[in-house]
Amino acid sequence: MRRVPALFLFILLGLAGPLSAETKVPDNQGEVQLSFAPVVQRSAPAVVNIYASWVTERRASPFADDPFFSQFFGGFDRATPRVQNSLGSGVIVSADGIVVSNYHVVQEATDIRVVLADRREFAGEVLLSDREADIAVIRLADAQELPALEFAQSEAAAVGDLVLAIGNPFGVGQTVSSGIISATARTGAATRQGAGYFLQTDAPINPGNSGGALVDMSGRLVGLNTSILTRSGGSNGIGFAIPSDLVAQYVQQAVAGHDDFRRPWSGVAVQQVDGGLADALGQGIPTGVLISEIHPASPFAEADLRAGDVILSVNALPVNAQDELEYRLLTQGVGADVTVEVLRDGTANSHVVAVREAPGVPGANPIRIDADSPLAGLLVADVTPRLIDELNLPLSASGVLVVRADGPSARLGLRGGDVVRTVNGQQVQTAADLDRMVRRGARAWDMQIGRGGQTLRLRVRG
């Protein structure tokens, strides 16, 4: 018997479908030809070009700051001002002239000029910027009734959704490229951006697109284009956008008058649940993050969470990494309450956690150590949760933080960022404690110093 090719069988099966199926004839040209033109017409007018400039000082010689060599340069080593410029994109999100872009587009700009698609120009002023998140919020002077994009819920974006990237690549003028959402939970480590949480898209993004819009098929802003992975400098189809849910939080705080972003603090360190941990926890599928360390002042601790608990979700949204946990809190904003689902001893339960900033003022009331001792010249401050958060210290950090070291203390090898834990066997709790210990004097000094997650021991005679 002669065998029928598999492909032919597939075609036959396709033809063997119900004969009653109706074939619809297209009624108009729009049904014949797919076009993104209606989406572009709605969203492109709200995407702007941003021209930023700032002044930097440049030394004429690399030896100009050297205390020995500088004496040979006379007046020729004076710094000369140099104007630097950048070109990027931005998105109008409010009809009264609120624009969002990337921090690296405006940086510390002293002059910002924003040009709309209809060629109108406005002066811009930065209301709030954040280098870590790479977000800047700008207000346009004397602007009203401008075209603006509505925020989409980026949390609802799914892999495979069609999107358009709109910006000004290479300064050639406004350009639109199309693609899909190719991943929805890329962390900073994966994107080589350090911190952060991103949408990934294959819509071509190139230099100059930074700060431009990533829009959905309703013409709403789903992300702020920020970076690409590339070896050549051009797009290879892997681009990243800051989710609109996070951008909206920055706009909200900027409009409320905050010039520094109020960042929530979790006060917990977590590790991803892998296959081995899942077996030990009795999970069929690895899910969530295990709390490995928790600060006593953490809002999670106040909500009765403890080390060994597994955080499964925040407000019913999954959590599978430290960056994802921080992102969930960021998008809720300081002052909100979130419902955290936790697995403990094989049982899932819910806890209400307050979203708030780390307590304590960074560097508040620093004390200078002036008494004659090897520690003279230290400027120290109490270690608070705020300092732990801003300086990325271990959650277990305790003692006194070295803000600056001069004189004998610098020659001893101490430096900013060190944490003084003990002196001559006594625990150092506050900067005032350290000052009293030094004033009492000693014949010899034996100190434990925390530095970069390690403990150093210093011994010196008085």
Side-chain angles (χ1 to χ4, degrees), residues 156-231:
V159 174
D161 283 352
L162 287 169
V163 287
L164 302 180
I166 309 176
N168 183 12
F170 301 109
V172 299
Q174 191 176 86
T175 302
V176 181
S177 56
S178 66
I180 63 170
I181 297 289
S182 49
T184 58
R186 292 295 189 225
T187 62
T191 66
R192 301 177 188 172
Q193 298 298 304
Y197 190 83
F198 302 89
L199 298 174
Q200 179 180 311
T201 178
D202 69 346
I205 296 174
N206 287 289
N209 270 112
S210 291
L214 190 70
V215 301
D216 63 14
M217 290 300 98
S218 297
R220 299 173 302 174
L221 184 69
V222 71
L224 194 66
N225 299 325
T226 186
S227 65
I228 58 176
L229 280 184
T230 179
R231 293 180 178 177

Side-chain angles (χ1 to χ4, degrees), residues 384-399:
T384 64
R386 180 68 65 86
L387 279 176
I388 289 174
D389 184 41
E390 298 210 350
L391 300 178
N392 199 26
L393 299 174
L395 288 175
S396 58
S398 62

Side-chain angles (χ1 to χ4, degrees), residues 5 8 94 131 133 135 141 187 211 226 281 290 296 306 343 363 372 408 426:
F8 183 65
S94 176
R131 179 191 296 270
I135 296 175
T187 62
T226 186
L281 295 167
L290 177 74
R306 54 178 182 254
L343 182 67
D372 185 18
Q426 296 184 17

Side-chain angles (χ1 to χ4, degrees), residues 7-23:
L7 178 60
F8 183 65
L9 287 174
F10 177 80
I11 295 174
L12 288 177
L13 290 171
L15 293 175
L19 296 177
S20 60
E22 297 183 2
T23 301

